Amino acid sequence: MLVALGSAVATTVGWMTGTGLFGFMQQNPMVWVGLIQAYLLMTIIAVLLVLGSSQVNARKWNVVGALAHCPPLIAALSSLDVFESMGALGIVRVAITFHFVWLCLETFAALYPIRTI
């Protein structure tokens, strides 16, 4: 949740001022339009995951969490040449790593057998 909100703030600052990691967006504001939507939607999903984690059958929320990381991964991996042309290949590599790690963790949590004592 904090990563998504922090990224939304960082992209907005980059778009408005042309500074920071996302400063390139000042020249291409359509990038901000897509990213702000994605980051705010991921924030909503994160809130739902936190709320759902306290339910009796929380495993289904691990599946939702894993699936939430698939669209950003697909978009990033299929658009590496676009990110490279914008000079943002370093940022997208961090994003790919982040989403891949969380996809793996959520998938593991969803598939790990529940032990009853």
Side-chain angles (χ1 to χ4, degrees):
M1 193 170 13
L2 295 175
V3 170
L5 282 174
S7 296
V9 169
T11 58
T12 302
V13 168
W15 166 62
M16 293 177 79
T17 67
T19 61
L21 288 173
F22 297 99
F24 65 90
M25 284 191 284
Q26 194 169 39
Q27 288 81 22
N28 192 352
M30 285 304 291
V31 175
W32 178 81
V33 172
L35 284 178
I36 195 69
Q37 291 178 60
Y39 290 140
L40 294 178
L41 284 171
M42 286 300 277
T43 301
I44 292 168
I45 292 168
V47 169
L48 292 174
L49 292 176
V50 169
L51 294 174
S53 68
S54 63
Q55 292 181 352
V56 175
N57 184 9
R59 187 177 296 259
K60 62 186 167 196
W61 292 103
N62 296 119
V63 174
V64 171
L67 291 173
H69 291 284
C70 290
L73 266 174
I74 292 168
L77 290 170
S78 63
S79 304
L80 288 173
D81 56 336
V82 175
F83 289 107
E84 185 176 22
S85 71
M86 293 180 350
L89 198 54
I91 295 170
V92 81
R93 285 183 178 148
V94 171
I96 289 169
T97 303
F98 177 85
H99 288 292
F100 182 75
V101 166
W102 282 102
L103 171 67
C104 291
L105 289 172
E106 291 285 5
T107 301
F108 178 77
L111 298 175
Y112 192 76
I114 298 174
R115 295 179 188 230
T116 56
I117 297 174

